[in-house]
Short mmCIF file of all heavy atoms in Angstrom, two decimals:
data_model
loop_
_atom_site.label_atom_id
_atom_site.label_comp_id
_atom_site.label_asym_id
_atom_site.label_seq_id
_atom_site.Cartn_x
_atom_site.Cartn_y
_atom_site.Cartn_z
N ARG B 531 -35.19 14.51 65.42
CA ARG B 531 -35.97 13.66 64.53
C ARG B 531 -36.47 14.43 63.35
O ARG B 531 -36.89 15.55 63.51
CB ARG B 531 -37.11 12.98 65.29
CG ARG B 531 -37.79 11.87 64.50
CD ARG B 531 -38.94 11.23 65.25
NE ARG B 531 -39.70 10.36 64.39
CZ ARG B 531 -41.03 10.38 64.35
NH1 ARG B 531 -41.69 11.08 65.19
NH2 ARG B 531 -41.65 9.54 63.51
N VAL B 532 -36.52 13.82 62.17
CA VAL B 532 -37.07 14.50 60.96
C VAL B 532 -38.41 13.91 60.59
O VAL B 532 -38.71 12.77 61.01
CB VAL B 532 -36.09 14.39 59.78
CG1 VAL B 532 -34.78 15.08 60.06
CG2 VAL B 532 -35.90 12.96 59.34
N ALA B 533 -39.20 14.66 59.87
CA ALA B 533 -40.49 14.13 59.41
C ALA B 533 -40.33 12.96 58.50
O ALA B 533 -39.38 12.93 57.70
CB ALA B 533 -41.27 15.26 58.69
N SER B 534 -41.19 11.97 58.62
CA SER B 534 -41.07 10.78 57.79
C SER B 534 -41.51 11.07 56.34
O SER B 534 -41.19 10.30 55.46
CB SER B 534 -41.92 9.64 58.33
OG SER B 534 -43.28 10.00 58.46
N ARG B 535 -42.21 12.16 56.14
CA ARG B 535 -42.66 12.53 54.80
C ARG B 535 -43.13 13.98 54.81
O ARG B 535 -43.30 14.56 55.88
CB ARG B 535 -43.79 11.61 54.31
CG ARG B 535 -45.03 11.73 55.23
CD ARG B 535 -46.05 10.65 54.90
NE ARG B 535 -47.15 10.77 55.90
CZ ARG B 535 -48.29 11.43 55.70
NH1 ARG B 535 -48.46 12.04 54.55
NH2 ARG B 535 -49.21 11.50 56.61
N ASP B 536 -43.34 14.52 53.64
CA ASP B 536 -43.91 15.87 53.51
C ASP B 536 -45.39 15.75 53.59
O ASP B 536 -46.04 15.08 52.80
CB ASP B 536 -43.51 16.48 52.13
CG ASP B 536 -44.27 17.79 51.85
OD1 ASP B 536 -44.48 18.55 52.80
OD2 ASP B 536 -44.63 18.00 50.69
N MET B 537 -46.05 16.43 54.62
CA MET B 537 -47.50 16.32 54.76
C MET B 537 -48.11 17.65 55.23
O MET B 537 -49.26 17.68 55.67
CB MET B 537 -47.85 15.22 55.73
CG MET B 537 -47.02 15.10 57.01
SD MET B 537 -47.37 16.39 58.26
CE MET B 537 -49.00 15.85 58.80
N ILE B 538 -47.37 18.74 55.15
CA ILE B 538 -47.93 20.04 55.57
C ILE B 538 -47.54 21.07 54.56
O ILE B 538 -46.43 20.99 53.94
CB ILE B 538 -47.44 20.47 57.00
CG1 ILE B 538 -48.11 21.78 57.40
CG2 ILE B 538 -45.92 20.57 57.04
CD1 ILE B 538 -47.92 22.14 58.84
N GLN B 539 -48.40 22.03 54.28
CA GLN B 539 -48.11 23.11 53.36
C GLN B 539 -48.80 24.35 53.81
O GLN B 539 -49.82 24.33 54.50
CB GLN B 539 -48.54 22.72 51.95
CG GLN B 539 -49.97 22.27 51.86
CD GLN B 539 -50.22 21.39 50.66
OE1 GLN B 539 -49.71 21.66 49.56
NE2 GLN B 539 -50.98 20.34 50.86
N PHE B 540 -48.19 25.49 53.44
CA PHE B 540 -48.69 26.79 53.87
C PHE B 540 -48.75 27.71 52.69
O PHE B 540 -47.90 27.72 51.81
CB PHE B 540 -47.82 27.40 54.93
CG PHE B 540 -48.09 28.85 55.17
CD1 PHE B 540 -49.20 29.25 55.98
CD2 PHE B 540 -47.27 29.83 54.61
CE1 PHE B 540 -49.45 30.58 56.18
CE2 PHE B 540 -47.55 31.18 54.82
CZ PHE B 540 -48.67 31.53 55.65
N ALA B 541 -49.81 28.60 52.68
CA ALA B 541 -49.88 29.67 51.70
C ALA B 541 -50.70 30.80 52.26
O ALA B 541 -51.74 30.55 52.89
CB ALA B 541 -50.48 29.17 50.39
N PRO B 542 -50.26 32.04 52.09
CA PRO B 542 -51.08 33.19 52.47
C PRO B 542 -52.11 33.46 51.36
O PRO B 542 -51.82 33.40 50.16
CB PRO B 542 -50.09 34.34 52.54
CG PRO B 542 -48.97 33.96 51.60
CD PRO B 542 -48.93 32.45 51.58
N VAL B 543 -53.35 33.74 51.74
CA VAL B 543 -54.43 34.02 50.80
C VAL B 543 -55.19 35.25 51.33
O VAL B 543 -55.83 35.15 52.36
CB VAL B 543 -55.38 32.79 50.68
CG1 VAL B 543 -56.53 33.18 49.72
CG2 VAL B 543 -54.63 31.58 50.18
N LYS B 544 -55.11 36.34 50.61
CA LYS B 544 -55.85 37.52 51.03
C LYS B 544 -57.33 37.41 50.68
O LYS B 544 -58.17 37.94 51.35
CB LYS B 544 -55.26 38.77 50.35
CG LYS B 544 -53.86 39.06 50.79
CD LYS B 544 -53.35 40.36 50.24
CE LYS B 544 -51.92 40.71 50.67
NZ LYS B 544 -51.82 40.81 52.15
N ASP B 545 -57.64 36.72 49.56
CA ASP B 545 -59.02 36.54 49.19
C ASP B 545 -59.18 35.16 48.62
O ASP B 545 -58.44 34.75 47.73
CB ASP B 545 -59.42 37.59 48.14
CG ASP B 545 -60.93 37.56 47.80
OD1 ASP B 545 -61.61 36.65 48.26
OD2 ASP B 545 -61.37 38.49 47.08
N ALA B 546 -60.15 34.41 49.07
CA ALA B 546 -60.33 33.06 48.63
C ALA B 546 -61.02 32.91 47.28
O ALA B 546 -61.32 31.83 46.81
CB ALA B 546 -61.08 32.21 49.67
N HIS B 547 -61.32 34.06 46.65
CA HIS B 547 -61.82 34.04 45.32
C HIS B 547 -60.82 34.63 44.37
O HIS B 547 -59.82 35.20 44.81
CB HIS B 547 -63.16 34.81 45.19
CG HIS B 547 -64.29 34.13 45.91
ND1 HIS B 547 -64.59 32.81 45.69
CD2 HIS B 547 -65.12 34.58 46.90
CE1 HIS B 547 -65.62 32.49 46.47
NE2 HIS B 547 -65.96 33.53 47.18
N GLY B 548 -61.00 34.50 43.08
CA GLY B 548 -60.02 35.03 42.11
C GLY B 548 -58.71 34.27 42.22
O GLY B 548 -58.68 33.05 42.17
N SER B 549 -57.60 35.03 42.36
CA SER B 549 -56.26 34.40 42.46
C SER B 549 -56.16 33.54 43.70
O SER B 549 -55.44 32.56 43.74
CB SER B 549 -55.15 35.42 42.38
OG SER B 549 -55.31 36.31 43.48
N GLY B 550 -56.92 33.94 44.75
CA GLY B 550 -56.88 33.17 46.01
C GLY B 550 -57.39 31.77 45.80
O GLY B 550 -56.94 30.79 46.38
N ALA B 551 -58.46 31.64 44.99
CA ALA B 551 -59.08 30.34 44.73
C ALA B 551 -58.07 29.41 44.06
O ALA B 551 -57.95 28.22 44.42
CB ALA B 551 -60.31 30.46 43.91
N SER B 552 -57.25 29.91 43.13
CA SER B 552 -56.24 29.09 42.48
C SER B 552 -55.15 28.67 43.44
O SER B 552 -54.57 27.59 43.34
CB SER B 552 -55.66 29.84 41.27
OG SER B 552 -54.94 30.99 41.69
N THR B 553 -54.84 29.55 44.40
CA THR B 553 -53.86 29.19 45.46
C THR B 553 -54.36 28.04 46.28
O THR B 553 -53.64 27.09 46.56
CB THR B 553 -53.56 30.37 46.34
OG1 THR B 553 -53.00 31.48 45.54
CG2 THR B 553 -52.54 30.02 47.41
N LEU B 554 -55.62 28.08 46.67
CA LEU B 554 -56.22 27.00 47.47
C LEU B 554 -56.28 25.72 46.67
O LEU B 554 -56.02 24.63 47.20
CB LEU B 554 -57.62 27.45 47.95
CG LEU B 554 -57.74 28.64 48.84
CD1 LEU B 554 -59.17 28.89 49.28
CD2 LEU B 554 -56.81 28.54 50.04
N GLN B 555 -56.58 25.81 45.41
CA GLN B 555 -56.60 24.65 44.53
C GLN B 555 -55.17 24.00 44.45
O GLN B 555 -55.08 22.81 44.49
CB GLN B 555 -57.11 24.96 43.15
CG GLN B 555 -58.60 25.29 43.12
CD GLN B 555 -59.07 25.84 41.82
OE1 GLN B 555 -58.29 25.88 40.82
NE2 GLN B 555 -60.27 26.33 41.76
N SER B 556 -54.18 24.88 44.35
CA SER B 556 -52.83 24.31 44.31
C SER B 556 -52.44 23.61 45.58
O SER B 556 -51.66 22.62 45.54
CB SER B 556 -51.80 25.42 43.98
OG SER B 556 -51.66 26.32 45.06
#
Side-chain angles (χ1 to χ4, degrees):
R531 187 179 170 223
V532 298
S534 60
R535 61 191 176 94
D536 171 37
M537 44 74 70
I538 184 169
Q539 53 205 316
F540 167 79
V543 177
K544 294 186 181 299
D545 187 352
H547 291 307
S549 61
S552 63
T553 300
L554 298 183
Q555 289 170 11
S556 69

